[in-house]
Amino acid sequence: MCLWIQRFKRSNKTCQYPPLSISILYFYKKYWHCNRPYKKSKSSTSHNNISESDGNFLVTGCLNCFDNSSLFILKIDPTGQEIWLKTFPAGDEGFSIIETSAGEIVVTGESVAGASGTDIIFLKTDANGDVILLQGIYGQAGNDRGESIIETSDGNFALTATTREFDGADSDIWLVKVSNTDGGIPAGFPKSFGGNGADFGHGIVETPEGDLAIAGGTWLGLNGNSILIKTDADGNEIWSKNYGSIYQETSKDLFQLADGGFLLTGNSKVNDL
């Protein structure tokens, strides 16, 4: 079941959301309110959710997002009732969550525990949300964030990330492979994609052939396009395509179709000059 949440206003502030599953709606209703002033510390939000093999739902995001935030995993049943809620170290935030083929839970996002700026976080728990592995070591000088993660056919993981310099002007798309065993990064990774402007990595899928496809955005100044990058299993680029018009477009997620093509979704913003 999916619901549209289009727009809510409080004075001069506007909150807009894309189509969200009922589990996300439940989380917003119980833990986060759009009419709460932005500066309040006790605000929370969810970034991603999935339905589990047992018919329940998993949600990740942050609690107290603007004041010592904590990454959370929330499990709820199909009627919207909370089964359990687990929180993790302060300063972490979850952006993508999956259930693995072994029934474990994996989250990527960002952590402020890095030596400088934020780093990409990799969290693996058992089916009850108890930590198996927590890593916050992927990053460089600046602010880095894990955007989306998948389990690959070899039993390991691949994630997309956006890595940004401190000045905020330039950013690159990262492709990171992560070991299921110890959370390590194999030789040859991460792979970086991008030009002289701001590039953002969001969705990722693995094709039946074992290749990887990444959806995101590439911006230079006020002009931006959606980008789709296809790589082989080792992260070597096969091709890259831009899509867009005169607006600022960014792809947020993608899905591979039965005919081998891809379906992208995202947003488009008109420049106000």
Side-chain angles (χ1 to χ4, degrees), residues 191-235:
K191 298 289 187 179
S192 181
F193 308 92
N196 295 324
D199 302 285
F200 310 95
H202 292 295
I204 182 171
V205 296
E206 183 183 33
T207 71
E209 300 77 26
D211 296 330
L212 298 168
I214 301 167
T218 178
W219 290 16
L220 184 60
L222 294 176
N223 298 315
N225 291 132
S226 291
I227 189 170
L228 178 62
I229 304 168
K230 187 176 183 181
T231 78
D232 62 20
D234 296 319

Side-chain angles (χ1 to χ4, degrees), residues 79-96:
T79 68
Q81 299 302 308
E82 178 181 323
I83 299 174
W84 50 255
L85 173 67
K86 299 293 180 76
T87 60
F88 301 91
D92 295 344
E93 186 168 356
F95 278 83
S96 179

